[in-house]
Amino acid sequence: MTVKRRNHGRNKKGRGHVKPVRCTNCARCVPKDKAVSKFNVRSIVEAAALRDLAEASAFSSYVLPKIYIKASYCISCAIHSKQVRNRSRTERRNRSPPLRFSQRPQGAGGPGGAPPRTGGPPPFGGGTGAPGAGG
């Protein structure tokens, strides 16, 4: 019989039964080895209110505690919330973990990652500002 995944979508290997966990999103019962687990570390206060809180605080260097959340998702919710995505048949063989997001190197530009422009012609038109005057 043909198999889609070599581990059958689980990480059981030699255990007969695995205790279920509940999906954080929809509360579905999922075997613990099949569930997609994410460990989220967040600040208690969102970034927008952080400065207001620092100004109102009596302590100068108070470090706010963080929230540590272990979330388990069923496969349906993990795909829907883009925690995981389905891959092609050849990509499924790739067992290496996905690349982690690291801080951009110094000098990297905006959202495209291009370095900032340092001269040369303007990116659009002639740059005179008059409509229709560009080349």
Side-chain angles (χ1 to χ4, degrees):
M1 187 173 151
T2 55
V3 208
K4 194 168 186 180
R5 291 171 187 86
R6 80 183 216 178
N7 63 354
H8 305 289
R10 301 185 60 159
N11 191 17
K12 197 158 61 85
K13 301 297 183 230
R15 295 173 201 63
H17 184 76
V18 178
K19 293 277 187 191
V21 294
R22 292 302 200 128
C23 172
T24 306
N25 194 31
C26 68
R28 173 184 282 169
C29 256
V30 193
K32 186 178 179 183
D33 60 329
K34 188 174 190 172
V36 177
S37 298
K38 294 286 178 182
F39 193 72
N40 297 327
V41 181
R42 288 188 301 162
S43 178
I44 285 182
V45 182
E46 64 270 3
L50 196 59
R51 201 187 80 190
D52 297 337
L53 198 66
E55 289 173 359
S57 176
F59 301 106
S60 59
S61 62
Y62 180 70
V63 179
L64 287 169
K66 296 190 181 314
I67 298 175
Y68 299 94
I69 301 170
K70 176 82 181 268
S72 300
Y73 296 98
C74 64
I75 298 299
S76 303
C77 291
I79 291 171
H80 183 72
S81 61
K82 297 182 181 174
Q83 301 288 335
V84 293
R85 59 177 58 148
N86 55 1
R87 300 185 289 174
S88 66
R89 184 175 291 182
T90 55
E91 271 295 309
R92 269 184 232 133
R93 292 176 180 268
N94 179 10
R95 293 172 57 84
S96 62
L99 294 174
R100 309 211 59 185
F101 292 109
S102 60
Q103 289 186 338
R104 285 186 281 179
Q106 198 61 274
R117 294 181 57 87
T118 56
F124 302 109
T128 59

